[in-house]
Amino acid sequence: MEVITRMVADRPVVIFSRSTCCMSFTIKTLISGFGANPTIYELDEIQNGQQVERELHKMGCKPSVPVVFIGQQLIGGPNQVMTLQVKNQLAPLLKRAGAIWI
């Protein structure tokens, strides 16, 4: 968990992803569409990707990608992010985290 904590520190939005995952692409597109500039870690492209994926699993993230942190808080996977979007709660959350200004 310490690795994850360091990776999300001081970043308004972090997405753990895989470059070949269509759901990861969808979540990245949704969040970027608000004007946010998320920090994206492609677990299949970074050196410690397997370790990070194991830690995300231990945190209860199943599947392990995509996983979104907003304001250093674990939001979850695509179901949780889409639920926030449908309830019109995603934009205010991004704004509170300092990821967007409008």
Side-chain angles (χ1 to χ4, degrees), residues 38-49:
T39 300
I40 299 171
Y41 294 106
E42 301 289 359
L43 299 184
D44 56 334
E45 296 178 356
I46 62 174
Q47 187 174 0
N48 64 340

Side-chain angles (χ1 to χ4, degrees), residues 40-99:
I40 299 171
Y41 294 106
E42 301 289 359
L43 299 184
D44 56 334
E45 296 178 356
I46 62 174
Q47 187 174 0
N48 64 340
Q50 289 181 341
Q51 176 191 3
V52 171
E53 194 162 0
R54 282 191 300 272
E55 288 195 25
L56 289 169
H57 242 81
K58 287 179 186 176
M59 294 173 71
C61 302
K62 295 174 186 156
S64 57
V65 293
V67 173
V68 177
F69 285 78
I70 299 176
Q72 294 80 43
Q73 296 295 314
L74 173 62
I75 300 303
N79 289 342
Q80 291 81 10
V81 173
M82 294 308 291
T83 297
L84 289 172
Q85 171 65 0
V86 168
K87 293 180 175 181
N88 292 319
Q89 296 173 348
L90 185 56
L93 193 58
L94 292 168
K95 188 173 180 182
R96 278 193 303 275

Side-chain angles (χ1 to χ4, degrees), residues 12-13 31 34-38 70-71 93-102:
V13 181
I31 290 175
F34 283 99
N37 187 20
I70 299 176
L93 193 58
L94 292 168
K95 188 173 180 182
R96 278 193 303 275
I100 60 174
W101 291 268
I102 296 177

